Amino acid sequence: MWIHLNGDYKTPVYRQIGDTIKHQVAVGELAQGERLPTVRQLAQDLGVDRNTVVRAYRLLDREGVISLQHGRGTFVKTPSQHPHLARHRREHLDLLMGEGIARALSLGYAPDEIRQTFARRLREWQRAREQVRPRGSGVHSKKAHRRAKE
Amino acid sequence: MWIHLNGDYKTPVYRQIGDTIKHQVAVGELAQGERLPTVRQLAQDLGVDRNTVVRAYRLLDREGVISLQHGRGTFVKTPSQHPHLARHRREHLDLLMGEGIARALSLGYAPDEIRQTFARRLREWQRAREQVRPRGSGVHSKKAHRRAKE
Amino acid sequence: MWIHLNGDYKTPVYRQIGDTIKHQVAVGELAQGERLPTVRQLAQDLGVDRNTVVRAYRLLDREGVISLQHGRGTFVKTPSQHPHLARHRREHLDLLMGEGIARALSLGYAPDEIRQTFARRLREWQRAREQVRPRGSGVHSKKAHRRAKE
Amino acid sequence: MWIHLNGDYKTPVYRQIGDTIKHQVAVGELAQGERLPTVRQLAQDLGVDRNTVVRAYRLLDREGVISLQHGRGTFVKTPSQHPHLARHRREHLDLLMGEGIARALSLGYAPDEIRQTFARRLREWQRAREQVRPRGSGVHSKKAHRRAKE
DNA sequence: GTGGTCTAGACCACG
DNA sequence: GTGGTCTAGACCACG
């Protein structure tokens, strides 16, 4: 696993790591249930401190994207493991969408502008997903899934 | 002049000030050539440190949006000279929407689910807004700004 | 400000600090808007590392109880600063309550048992609040509030 | 024997196992004198490390709930000898409910608001449960447990 | 072996 | 001065 660290920029390293992983999960590059590199491993690969990786992982864990399992490893969450059940799921998405909308409205963007931008961005993300997924390029192979439940 | 400071968010204050001014220039709320409040004045109005306002103004000056004229004051440059502004606005909204989408996708929500929830929430927010201030724009009137903080 | 650290127990220090502060806010011992000790100060008072205090504060920040403000200090959040607006507020509470219920049910507790325990605990908390509040014991005096908006 | 492991939560696995067994003994699901699965067996059933099961059993043995008999097996002690069990259950629920209440109060929600939301959510959850398994208890039947994991 | 916590100490960004 | 980030290194808890 490789993550490009934008050496001189203002975004902190732990966020760059987290954002990249989130992106990879969103796009399907990291399959759900897949095991992430260990903290030590990724720290070594990227040449950063273990604590920095821990911080990135913990952030994602709190956000519900991955699951840090003491003594076992770190895994991409399966939707079913997410904020408990169906009703929870729906409310969570409501909250998530509401946040972005509230923020945009409070910054003075017009509803139509927001709507259009949203639609375009979502299409862009979907396209990104489709380009990654259908290839079955190693990461999502049987092997990757086999480990998932372990 | 009033600028809403998003007290507890991650964007630094000097950026919030700068972004808001850019936005106001972009939409014409601040006319070209118009004089901005003095550093002291704005700092007092917003209850922030003078250094923070200086930092915001200096950034805008460097970006060519305003002109800091030593001993005379601070003035808005001609918007037409700054395609930068419109782009800034658009990119900011792009970023904002992209964040929510990425998060939802990485949490395993389906695109259609996201799309529908978003649409519903936006409608709800619009309705909520209309109930609060059906008196028209309001946002730009001096009165509306006067005690926005409260 | 003093926090008793349960030296030999298994709860990590950063959690003990966070839980205590949460408790004090819940009970009204720390007024909303009130300023918390600086990271350095509290670290020194408790004889722990600055990073440990930062960690405790950040956790509370993420949970929406306090607000870490770069360069300014740390403050107890005012309800109005919480998860945005009224609708947000309601949804957030829904989610909060739902979590506990889901967990208790999944552990096999009967609904009536849950209901009664909840009612009793809430009464206990309310009583704790009343004992702290009406005295106006220094912390919630005018002085404390005056600083809040600063 | 099946124990639901809350894969991504903060409680360590060995405690989840121990708590569940205590709970089952407390409600009579596991009769006194009854033989528990062997360490190997349970470890395999749950897909966890043997050491983890050993740790759970040893804890219960120390607490007097079960009896580890070298070379013979593991047996449930007489519940009546253990007021400890009922208390454990009650305290656990207390803790669980207390957490949500403390959090909500510290976020500024009013007690009545909390009370009402809780009541509504509990009703909703109950209704949701009834729709899922209207076939009676089900929980204790061997069948229900067999593929609970899925 | 895997993640969790903590310290001591450095340097940075913001107000 | 206040919080934010990062490192190097230690020791612990869990599986």
PDB file of all heavy atoms in Angstrom, chain A residues 105-134:
ATOM      1  N   LEU A 105     -25.308  26.371   2.710  1.00  0.00           N
ATOM      2  CA  LEU A 105     -26.330  27.411   2.794  1.00  0.00           C
ATOM      3  C   LEU A 105     -25.836  28.580   3.642  1.00  0.00           C
ATOM      4  O   LEU A 105     -26.008  29.743   3.270  1.00  0.00           O
ATOM      5  CB  LEU A 105     -27.625  26.851   3.402  1.00  0.00           C
ATOM      6  CG  LEU A 105     -28.479  25.972   2.484  1.00  0.00           C
ATOM      7  CD1 LEU A 105     -29.609  25.325   3.263  1.00  0.00           C
ATOM      8  CD2 LEU A 105     -29.054  26.787   1.322  1.00  0.00           C
ATOM      9  N   SER A 106     -25.172  28.260   4.724  1.00  0.00           N
ATOM     10  CA  SER A 106     -24.723  29.336   5.616  1.00  0.00           C
ATOM     11  C   SER A 106     -23.601  30.149   4.978  1.00  0.00           C
ATOM     12  O   SER A 106     -23.326  31.266   5.376  1.00  0.00           O
ATOM     13  CB  SER A 106     -24.279  28.755   6.956  1.00  0.00           C
ATOM     14  OG  SER A 106     -22.992  28.214   6.843  1.00  0.00           O
ATOM     15  N   LEU A 107     -22.949  29.582   3.981  1.00  0.00           N
ATOM     16  CA  LEU A 107     -21.900  30.330   3.284  1.00  0.00           C
ATOM     17  C   LEU A 107     -22.479  31.151   2.143  1.00  0.00           C
ATOM     18  O   LEU A 107     -21.757  31.831   1.424  1.00  0.00           O
ATOM     19  CB  LEU A 107     -20.836  29.374   2.748  1.00  0.00           C
ATOM     20  CG  LEU A 107     -19.860  28.833   3.792  1.00  0.00           C
ATOM     21  CD1 LEU A 107     -19.024  27.703   3.208  1.00  0.00           C
ATOM     22  CD2 LEU A 107     -18.952  29.955   4.287  1.00  0.00           C
ATOM     23  N   GLY A 108     -23.786  31.048   1.959  1.00  0.00           N
ATOM     24  CA  GLY A 108     -24.431  31.901   0.973  1.00  0.00           C
ATOM     25  C   GLY A 108     -24.618  31.282  -0.396  1.00  0.00           C
ATOM     26  O   GLY A 108     -25.005  31.961  -1.346  1.00  0.00           O
ATOM     27  N   TYR A 109     -24.351  30.010  -0.534  1.00  0.00           N
ATOM     28  CA  TYR A 109     -24.583  29.386  -1.830  1.00  0.00           C
ATOM     29  C   TYR A 109     -26.075  29.191  -2.029  1.00  0.00           C
ATOM     30  O   TYR A 109     -26.801  28.880  -1.080  1.00  0.00           O
ATOM     31  CB  TYR A 109     -23.867  28.032  -1.910  1.00  0.00           C
ATOM     32  CG  TYR A 109     -22.366  28.164  -1.961  1.00  0.00           C
ATOM     33  CD1 TYR A 109     -21.595  27.947  -0.826  1.00  0.00           C
ATOM     34  CD2 TYR A 109     -21.724  28.540  -3.138  1.00  0.00           C
ATOM     35  CE1 TYR A 109     -20.213  28.089  -0.857  1.00  0.00           C
ATOM     36  CE2 TYR A 109     -20.349  28.680  -3.177  1.00  0.00           C
ATOM     37  CZ  TYR A 109     -19.601  28.459  -2.034  1.00  0.00           C
ATOM     38  OH  TYR A 109     -18.241  28.609  -2.072  1.00  0.00           O
ATOM     39  N   ALA A 110     -26.506  29.361  -3.272  1.00  0.00           N
ATOM     40  CA  ALA A 110     -27.933  29.210  -3.557  1.00  0.00           C
ATOM     41  C   ALA A 110     -28.288  27.728  -3.659  1.00  0.00           C
ATOM     42  O   ALA A 110     -27.480  26.916  -4.130  1.00  0.00           O
ATOM     43  CB  ALA A 110     -28.265  29.897  -4.872  1.00  0.00           C
ATOM     44  N   PRO A 111     -29.493  27.370  -3.229  1.00  0.00           N
ATOM     45  CA  PRO A 111     -29.935  25.973  -3.283  1.00  0.00           C
ATOM     46  C   PRO A 111     -29.699  25.307  -4.630  1.00  0.00           C
ATOM     47  O   PRO A 111     -29.219  24.169  -4.690  1.00  0.00           O
ATOM     48  CB  PRO A 111     -31.422  26.062  -2.967  1.00  0.00           C
ATOM     49  CG  PRO A 111     -31.516  27.245  -2.065  1.00  0.00           C
ATOM     50  CD  PRO A 111     -30.489  28.225  -2.569  1.00  0.00           C
ATOM     51  N   ASP A 112     -29.994  26.018  -5.723  1.00  0.00           N
ATOM     52  CA  ASP A 112     -29.826  25.392  -7.039  1.00  0.00           C
ATOM     53  C   ASP A 112     -28.370  25.108  -7.365  1.00  0.00           C
ATOM     54  O   ASP A 112     -28.033  24.097  -7.967  1.00  0.00           O
ATOM     55  CB  ASP A 112     -30.427  26.294  -8.132  1.00  0.00           C
ATOM     56  CG  ASP A 112     -31.913  26.021  -8.263  1.00  0.00           C
ATOM     57  OD1 ASP A 112     -32.343  24.923  -7.859  1.00  0.00           O
ATOM     58  OD2 ASP A 112     -32.639  26.913  -8.735  1.00  0.00           O
ATOM     59  N   GLU A 113     -27.552  26.041  -6.949  1.00  0.00           N
ATOM     60  CA  GLU A 113     -26.110  25.896  -7.132  1.00  0.00           C
ATOM     61  C   GLU A 113     -25.644  24.647  -6.370  1.00  0.00           C
ATOM     62  O   GLU A 113     -24.884  23.820  -6.885  1.00  0.00           O
ATOM     63  CB  GLU A 113     -25.482  27.139  -6.510  1.00  0.00           C
ATOM     64  CG  GLU A 113     -24.145  27.557  -7.028  1.00  0.00           C
ATOM     65  CD  GLU A 113     -23.731  28.847  -6.305  1.00  0.00           C
ATOM     66  OE1 GLU A 113     -24.555  29.392  -5.520  1.00  0.00           O
ATOM     67  OE2 GLU A 113     -22.592  29.283  -6.510  1.00  0.00           O
ATOM     68  N   ILE A 114     -26.131  24.526  -5.156  1.00  0.00           N
ATOM     69  CA  ILE A 114     -25.756  23.393  -4.313  1.00  0.00           C
ATOM     70  C   ILE A 114     -26.206  22.085  -4.946  1.00  0.00           C
ATOM     71  O   ILE A 114     -25.453  21.129  -5.074  1.00  0.00           O
ATOM     72  CB  ILE A 114     -26.385  23.536  -2.906  1.00  0.00           C
ATOM     73  CG1 ILE A 114     -25.843  24.790  -2.218  1.00  0.00           C
ATOM     74  CG2 ILE A 114     -26.135  22.303  -2.068  1.00  0.00           C
ATOM     75  CD1 ILE A 114     -26.507  25.108  -0.893  1.00  0.00           C
ATOM     76  N   ARG A 115     -27.462  22.107  -5.381  1.00  0.00           N
ATOM     77  CA  ARG A 115     -28.039  20.911  -5.976  1.00  0.00           C
ATOM     78  C   ARG A 115     -27.234  20.452  -7.183  1.00  0.00           C
ATOM     79  O   ARG A 115     -26.875  19.277  -7.305  1.00  0.00           O
ATOM     80  CB  ARG A 115     -29.475  21.227  -6.410  1.00  0.00           C
ATOM     81  CG  ARG A 115     -30.411  20.053  -6.428  1.00  0.00           C
ATOM     82  CD  ARG A 115     -31.776  20.448  -6.982  1.00  0.00           C
ATOM     83  NE  ARG A 115     -32.302  21.710  -6.471  1.00  0.00           N
ATOM     84  CZ  ARG A 115     -33.006  21.836  -5.343  1.00  0.00           C
ATOM     85  NH1 ARG A 115     -33.259  20.786  -4.601  1.00  0.00           N
ATOM     86  NH2 ARG A 115     -33.438  23.020  -4.960  1.00  0.00           N
ATOM     87  N   GLN A 116     -26.922  21.392  -8.046  1.00  0.00           N
ATOM     88  CA  GLN A 116     -26.193  21.027  -9.259  1.00  0.00           C
ATOM     89  C   GLN A 116     -24.781  20.538  -8.965  1.00  0.00           C
ATOM     90  O   GLN A 116     -24.314  19.557  -9.534  1.00  0.00           O
ATOM     91  CB  GLN A 116     -26.146  22.223 -10.213  1.00  0.00           C
ATOM     92  CG  GLN A 116     -27.456  22.425 -10.950  1.00  0.00           C
ATOM     93  CD  GLN A 116     -27.574  23.836 -11.488  1.00  0.00           C
ATOM     94  OE1 GLN A 116     -26.571  24.509 -11.715  1.00  0.00           O
ATOM     95  NE2 GLN A 116     -28.804  24.297 -11.690  1.00  0.00           N
ATOM     96  N   THR A 117     -24.119  21.252  -8.080  1.00  0.00           N
ATOM     97  CA  THR A 117     -22.761  20.840  -7.738  1.00  0.00           C
ATOM     98  C   THR A 117     -22.763  19.441  -7.145  1.00  0.00           C
ATOM     99  O   THR A 117     -21.948  18.587  -7.502  1.00  0.00           O
ATOM    100  CB  THR A 117     -22.140  21.821  -6.726  1.00  0.00           C
ATOM    101  OG1 THR A 117     -22.169  23.125  -7.289  1.00  0.00           O
ATOM    102  CG2 THR A 117     -20.711  21.427  -6.408  1.00  0.00           C
ATOM    103  N   PHE A 118     -23.721  19.225  -6.267  1.00  0.00           N
ATOM    104  CA  PHE A 118     -23.821  17.911  -5.644  1.00  0.00           C
ATOM    105  C   PHE A 118     -23.995  16.812  -6.687  1.00  0.00           C
ATOM    106  O   PHE A 118     -23.292  15.796  -6.676  1.00  0.00           O
ATOM    107  CB  PHE A 118     -24.986  17.871  -4.664  1.00  0.00           C
ATOM    108  CG  PHE A 118     -25.160  16.532  -4.018  1.00  0.00           C
ATOM    109  CD1 PHE A 118     -24.464  16.212  -2.868  1.00  0.00           C
ATOM    110  CD2 PHE A 118     -25.985  15.571  -4.589  1.00  0.00           C
ATOM    111  CE1 PHE A 118     -24.597  14.966  -2.282  1.00  0.00           C
ATOM    112  CE2 PHE A 118     -26.121  14.318  -4.010  1.00  0.00           C
ATOM    113  CZ  PHE A 118     -25.423  14.018  -2.857  1.00  0.00           C
ATOM    114  N   ALA A 119     -24.941  17.045  -7.590  1.00  0.00           N
ATOM    115  CA  ALA A 119     -25.232  16.044  -8.612  1.00  0.00           C
ATOM    116  C   ALA A 119     -23.982  15.749  -9.451  1.00  0.00           C
ATOM    117  O   ALA A 119     -23.651  14.591  -9.707  1.00  0.00           O
ATOM    118  CB  ALA A 119     -26.369  16.530  -9.512  1.00  0.00           C
ATOM    119  N   ARG A 120     -23.297  16.813  -9.840  1.00  0.00           N
ATOM    120  CA  ARG A 120     -22.106  16.618 -10.656  1.00  0.00           C
ATOM    121  C   ARG A 120     -21.037  15.839  -9.899  1.00  0.00           C
ATOM    122  O   ARG A 120     -20.475  14.861 -10.383  1.00  0.00           O
ATOM    123  CB  ARG A 120     -21.549  17.979 -11.095  1.00  0.00           C
ATOM    124  CG  ARG A 120     -20.273  17.864 -11.913  1.00  0.00           C
ATOM    125  CD  ARG A 120     -19.881  19.169 -12.567  1.00  0.00           C
ATOM    126  NE  ARG A 120     -19.953  20.300 -11.671  1.00  0.00           N
ATOM    127  CZ  ARG A 120     -19.082  20.530 -10.678  1.00  0.00           C
ATOM    128  NH1 ARG A 120     -18.086  19.714 -10.465  1.00  0.00           N
ATOM    129  NH2 ARG A 120     -19.222  21.582  -9.897  1.00  0.00           N
ATOM    130  N   ARG A 121     -20.782  16.224  -8.669  1.00  0.00           N
ATOM    131  CA  ARG A 121     -19.757  15.548  -7.870  1.00  0.00           C
ATOM    132  C   ARG A 121     -20.072  14.071  -7.669  1.00  0.00           C
ATOM    133  O   ARG A 121     -19.188  13.225  -7.720  1.00  0.00           O
ATOM    134  CB  ARG A 121     -19.610  16.217  -6.499  1.00  0.00           C
ATOM    135  CG  ARG A 121     -19.149  17.645  -6.527  1.00  0.00           C
ATOM    136  CD  ARG A 121     -17.792  17.818  -7.162  1.00  0.00           C
ATOM    137  NE  ARG A 121     -16.862  16.771  -6.832  1.00  0.00           N
ATOM    138  CZ  ARG A 121     -15.679  16.933  -6.298  1.00  0.00           C
ATOM    139  NH1 ARG A 121     -15.265  18.129  -6.016  1.00  0.00           N
ATOM    140  NH2 ARG A 121     -14.883  15.925  -6.072  1.00  0.00           N
ATOM    141  N   LEU A 122     -21.329  13.797  -7.423  1.00  0.00           N
ATOM    142  CA  LEU A 122     -21.699  12.400  -7.204  1.00  0.00           C
ATOM    143  C   LEU A 122     -21.448  11.582  -8.473  1.00  0.00           C
ATOM    144  O   LEU A 122     -20.920  10.467  -8.419  1.00  0.00           O
ATOM    145  CB  LEU A 122     -23.161  12.290  -6.770  1.00  0.00           C
ATOM    146  CG  LEU A 122     -23.655  10.870  -6.448  1.00  0.00           C
ATOM    147  CD1 LEU A 122     -22.751  10.182  -5.451  1.00  0.00           C
ATOM    148  CD2 LEU A 122     -25.072  10.910  -5.902  1.00  0.00           C
ATOM    149  N   ARG A 123     -21.819  12.176  -9.609  1.00  0.00           N
ATOM    150  CA  ARG A 123     -21.554  11.482 -10.877  1.00  0.00           C
ATOM    151  C   ARG A 123     -20.062  11.233 -11.037  1.00  0.00           C
ATOM    152  O   ARG A 123     -19.638  10.155 -11.438  1.00  0.00           O
ATOM    153  CB  ARG A 123     -22.072  12.315 -12.061  1.00  0.00           C
ATOM    154  CG  ARG A 123     -23.556  12.161 -12.319  1.00  0.00           C
ATOM    155  CD  ARG A 123     -23.916  12.631 -13.730  1.00  0.00           C
ATOM    156  NE  ARG A 123     -23.469  13.998 -13.970  1.00  0.00           N
ATOM    157  CZ  ARG A 123     -24.164  15.099 -13.658  1.00  0.00           C
ATOM    158  NH1 ARG A 123     -25.348  14.999 -13.091  1.00  0.00           N
ATOM    159  NH2 ARG A 123     -23.675  16.296 -13.911  1.00  0.00           N
ATOM    160  N   GLU A 124     -19.259  12.234 -10.714  1.00  0.00           N
ATOM    161  CA  GLU A 124     -17.814  12.084 -10.841  1.00  0.00           C
ATOM    162  C   GLU A 124     -17.285  10.948  -9.960  1.00  0.00           C
ATOM    163  O   GLU A 124     -16.459  10.148 -10.380  1.00  0.00           O
ATOM    164  CB  GLU A 124     -17.113  13.403 -10.472  1.00  0.00           C
ATOM    165  CG  GLU A 124     -17.314  14.490 -11.526  1.00  0.00           C
ATOM    166  CD  GLU A 124     -16.858  15.865 -11.032  1.00  0.00           C
ATOM    167  OE1 GLU A 124     -16.321  15.956  -9.908  1.00  0.00           O
ATOM    168  OE2 GLU A 124     -17.049  16.851 -11.766  1.00  0.00           O
ATOM    169  N   TRP A 125     -17.795  10.876  -8.754  1.00  0.00           N
ATOM    170  CA  TRP A 125     -17.370   9.817  -7.852  1.00  0.00           C
ATOM    171  C   TRP A 125     -17.800   8.445  -8.360  1.00  0.00           C
ATOM    172  O   TRP A 125     -17.042   7.478  -8.297  1.00  0.00           O
ATOM    173  CB  TRP A 125     -17.953  10.023  -6.458  1.00  0.00           C
ATOM    174  CG  TRP A 125     -17.120  10.914  -5.608  1.00  0.00           C
ATOM    175  CD1 TRP A 125     -17.307  12.256  -5.405  1.00  0.00           C
ATOM    176  CD2 TRP A 125     -15.959  10.554  -4.862  1.00  0.00           C
ATOM    177  NE1 TRP A 125     -16.336  12.739  -4.574  1.00  0.00           N
ATOM    178  CE2 TRP A 125     -15.498  11.713  -4.218  1.00  0.00           C
ATOM    179  CE3 TRP A 125     -15.270   9.356  -4.680  1.00  0.00           C
ATOM    180  CZ2 TRP A 125     -14.372  11.707  -3.401  1.00  0.00           C
ATOM    181  CZ3 TRP A 125     -14.156   9.359  -3.864  1.00  0.00           C
ATOM    182  CH2 TRP A 125     -13.714  10.529  -3.237  1.00  0.00           C
ATOM    183  N   GLN A 126     -19.006   8.386  -8.885  1.00  0.00           N
ATOM    184  CA  GLN A 126     -19.481   7.098  -9.400  1.00  0.00           C
ATOM    185  C   GLN A 126     -18.596   6.623 -10.539  1.00  0.00           C
ATOM    186  O   GLN A 126     -18.238   5.452 -10.610  1.00  0.00           O
ATOM    187  CB  GLN A 126     -20.918   7.230  -9.891  1.00  0.00           C
ATOM    188  CG  GLN A 126     -21.932   7.174  -8.757  1.00  0.00           C
ATOM    189  CD  GLN A 126     -23.335   7.080  -9.305  1.00  0.00           C
ATOM    190  OE1 GLN A 126     -23.934   8.102  -9.614  1.00  0.00           O
ATOM    191  NE2 GLN A 126     -23.860   5.879  -9.448  1.00  0.00           N
ATOM    192  N   ARG A 127     -18.275   7.560 -11.410  1.00  0.00           N
ATOM    193  CA  ARG A 127     -17.418   7.207 -12.533  1.00  0.00           C
ATOM    194  C   ARG A 127     -16.074   6.682 -12.032  1.00  0.00           C
ATOM    195  O   ARG A 127     -15.557   5.673 -12.503  1.00  0.00           O
ATOM    196  CB  ARG A 127     -17.218   8.436 -13.430  1.00  0.00           C
ATOM    197  CG  ARG A 127     -17.211   8.078 -14.901  1.00  0.00           C
ATOM    198  CD  ARG A 127     -17.246   9.321 -15.759  1.00  0.00           C
ATOM    199  NE  ARG A 127     -18.396  10.155 -15.483  1.00  0.00           N
ATOM    200  CZ  ARG A 127     -18.376  11.488 -15.405  1.00  0.00           C
ATOM    201  NH1 ARG A 127     -17.246  12.155 -15.609  1.00  0.00           N
ATOM    202  NH2 ARG A 127     -19.477  12.162 -15.146  1.00  0.00           N
ATOM    203  N   ALA A 128     -15.535   7.351 -11.033  1.00  0.00           N
ATOM    204  CA  ALA A 128     -14.253   6.915 -10.461  1.00  0.00           C
ATOM    205  C   ALA A 128     -14.357   5.489  -9.939  1.00  0.00           C
ATOM    206  O   ALA A 128     -13.452   4.676 -10.115  1.00  0.00           O
ATOM    207  CB  ALA A 128     -13.844   7.852  -9.338  1.00  0.00           C
ATOM    208  N   ARG A 129     -15.478   5.202  -9.316  1.00  0.00           N
ATOM    209  CA  ARG A 129     -15.688   3.849  -8.781  1.00  0.00           C
ATOM    210  C   ARG A 129     -15.715   2.807  -9.877  1.00  0.00           C
ATOM    211  O   ARG A 129     -15.131   1.741  -9.765  1.00  0.00           O
ATOM    212  CB  ARG A 129     -17.046   3.765  -8.083  1.00  0.00           C
ATOM    213  CG  ARG A 129     -17.124   4.518  -6.819  1.00  0.00           C
ATOM    214  CD  ARG A 129     -18.365   4.094  -6.091  1.00  0.00           C
ATOM    215  NE  ARG A 129     -17.997   3.463  -4.843  1.00  0.00           N
ATOM    216  CZ  ARG A 129     -18.844   2.819  -4.066  1.00  0.00           C
ATOM    217  NH1 ARG A 129     -20.088   2.669  -4.438  1.00  0.00           N
ATOM    218  NH2 ARG A 129     -18.452   2.289  -2.949  1.00  0.00           N
ATOM    219  N   GLU A 130     -16.458   3.142 -10.923  1.00  0.00           N
ATOM    220  CA  GLU A 130     -16.608   2.180 -12.009  1.00  0.00           C
ATOM    221  C   GLU A 130     -15.282   1.863 -12.669  1.00  0.00           C
ATOM    222  O   GLU A 130     -15.057   0.748 -13.129  1.00  0.00           O
ATOM    223  CB  GLU A 130     -17.593   2.718 -13.052  1.00  0.00           C
ATOM    224  CG  GLU A 130     -19.038   2.467 -12.632  1.00  0.00           C
ATOM    225  CD  GLU A 130     -19.991   3.467 -13.267  1.00  0.00           C
ATOM    226  OE1 GLU A 130     -19.599   4.069 -14.294  1.00  0.00           O
ATOM    227  OE2 GLU A 130     -21.098   3.651 -12.732  1.00  0.00           O
ATOM    228  N   GLN A 131     -14.414   2.857 -12.713  1.00  0.00           N
ATOM    229  CA  GLN A 131     -13.116   2.610 -13.332  1.00  0.00           C
ATOM    230  C   GLN A 131     -12.256   1.684 -12.485  1.00  0.00           C
ATOM    231  O   GLN A 131     -11.435   0.946 -12.991  1.00  0.00           O
ATOM    232  CB  GLN A 131     -12.394   3.937 -13.558  1.00  0.00           C
ATOM    233  CG  GLN A 131     -12.921   4.654 -14.793  1.00  0.00           C
ATOM    234  CD  GLN A 131     -12.386   6.056 -14.882  1.00  0.00           C
ATOM    235  OE1 GLN A 131     -11.456   6.406 -14.184  1.00  0.00           O
ATOM    236  NE2 GLN A 131     -12.968   6.875 -15.738  1.00  0.00           N
ATOM    237  N   VAL A 132     -12.448   1.727 -11.200  1.00  0.00           N
ATOM    238  CA  VAL A 132     -11.625   0.886 -10.331  1.00  0.00           C
ATOM    239  C   VAL A 132     -12.177  -0.526 -10.245  1.00  0.00           C
ATOM    240  O   VAL A 132     -11.463  -1.490 -10.404  1.00  0.00           O
ATOM    241  CB  VAL A 132     -11.564   1.476  -8.904  1.00  0.00           C
ATOM    242  CG1 VAL A 132     -10.778   0.547  -8.005  1.00  0.00           C
ATOM    243  CG2 VAL A 132     -10.944   2.843  -8.945  1.00  0.00           C
ATOM    244  N   ARG A 133     -13.460  -0.608  -9.983  1.00  0.00           N
ATOM    245  CA  ARG A 133     -14.120  -1.863  -9.682  1.00  0.00           C
ATOM    246  C   ARG A 133     -14.020  -2.987 -10.710  1.00  0.00           C
ATOM    247  O   ARG A 133     -13.511  -4.048 -10.394  1.00  0.00           O
ATOM    248  CB  ARG A 133     -15.605  -1.601  -9.419  1.00  0.00           C
ATOM    249  CG  ARG A 133     -15.895  -1.200  -8.008  1.00  0.00           C
ATOM    250  CD  ARG A 133     -16.108  -2.429  -7.149  1.00  0.00           C
ATOM    251  NE  ARG A 133     -16.889  -2.137  -5.957  1.00  0.00           N
ATOM    252  CZ  ARG A 133     -18.053  -1.543  -5.914  1.00  0.00           C
ATOM    253  NH1 ARG A 133     -18.626  -1.110  -7.035  1.00  0.00           N
ATOM    254  NH2 ARG A 133     -18.671  -1.338  -4.780  1.00  0.00           N
ATOM    255  N   PRO A 134     -14.568  -2.772 -11.913  1.00  0.00           N
ATOM    256  CA  PRO A 134     -14.760  -3.919 -12.801  1.00  0.00           C
ATOM    257  C   PRO A 134     -13.486  -4.644 -13.183  1.00  0.00           C
ATOM    258  O   PRO A 134     -13.523  -5.781 -13.577  1.00  0.00           O
ATOM    259  CB  PRO A 134     -15.435  -3.289 -14.022  1.00  0.00           C
ATOM    260  CG  PRO A 134     -15.099  -1.843 -13.957  1.00  0.00           C
ATOM    261  CD  PRO A 134     -14.898  -1.512 -12.525  1.00  0.00           C
TER     262      PRO A 134
END
